[in-house]
Amino acid sequence: MNPYTINPPTSEEVFEELGLALLKRHWSRAGLERFGKRGERQYGVDILDTLGESPLYAAQCKLKEQWKTLEPAEILNEVNKAKNFPSKLDHYAILTSAKVSTAAQLEVQAINQQHRAAGLFTVEVFHWNRLTDLIRQYPEIEQQFFGGMRAEEVAEVKSKQIGRANV
């Protein structure tokens, strides 16, 4: 476990931009873009691979308080919206600043079993801990969205200062 915490953005727009940057790198999909705008029908999709590569990837962003969880009913609701997307989706992710829960994980597993049998898209959820791990994996994204020195760099500087003080 890493000794520092990254707090999620407080605005939905910044959270979507962070999600877009992370998924572009994590999925190696240069064609990912934010999809539509508020007020338009988005079919449960905030991020879409507009290059239309196969398999087709899309994602939904759900900014929540960090102490909350993403309820199974909310996951199912977003997945059901994505089923009506005008193009056939192959992979659908929900990114959330909420914490992980067994109920959410079991819901995603059940959805994936049903979808596999019906030839529908796979679903995955990126909870805040998983997103934090991705942020740390891509220092340029951490710098872009959270700025300043990385916590590891601060710890290294502090340990050198402590070492010099003990000499």
Side-chain angles (χ1 to χ4, degrees), residues 13-161:
E13 185 169 324
V14 174
F15 185 64
E16 285 182 17
E17 287 295 329
L18 173 62
L20 174 62
L22 286 171
L23 290 179
K24 270 187 175 183
R25 286 294 310 276
H26 182 65
W27 286 346
S28 300
R29 295 276 173 149
L32 286 178
E33 294 180 15
R34 288 178 67 189
F35 179 66
K37 64 182 188 306
R38 301 212 187 290
E40 288 186 309
R41 184 163 183 203
Q42 292 178 282
Y43 308 93
V45 172
D46 290 325
I47 298 170
L48 176 68
D49 187 350
T50 58
L51 293 180
E53 290 185 47
S54 186
L56 183 59
Y57 281 56
Q60 168 65 232
C61 297
K62 290 289 182 190
L63 183 63
K64 302 271 185 193
E65 290 86 0
Q66 271 184 279
W67 60 88
K68 290 191 175 178
T69 59
L70 191 61
E71 296 298 320
E74 191 170 5
I75 294 169
L76 188 57
N77 183 46
E78 294 303 327
V79 167
N80 284 334
K81 288 182 202 174
K83 285 180 183 176
N84 294 314
F85 195 79
S87 300
K88 183 185 180 301
L89 298 177
D90 296 299
H91 188 75
Y92 181 72
I94 300 173
L95 285 65
T96 182
S97 53
K99 64 183 183 178
V100 69
S101 73
T102 55
Q105 289 174 318
L106 290 171
E107 182 67 25
V108 170
Q109 187 251 346
I111 290 168
N112 280 326
Q113 284 181 326
Q114 293 165 2
H115 279 206
R116 187 172 296 111
L120 297 172
F121 55 87
T122 55
V123 176
E124 71 177 320
V125 174
F126 290 81
H127 293 90
W128 187 245
N129 284 348
R130 186 167 175 209
L131 290 173
T132 298
D133 289 343
L134 286 179
I135 291 165
R136 290 186 184 123
Q137 190 176 332
Y138 305 116
E140 70 283 0
I141 293 174
E142 184 174 8
Q143 177 66 34
Q144 177 185 350
F145 287 90
F146 300 97
M149 290 179 76
R150 299 187 75 217
E152 290 89 346
E153 295 168 333
V154 171
E156 186 177 328
V157 168
K158 282 183 180 179
S159 72
K160 287 181 181 176
Q161 287 173 338

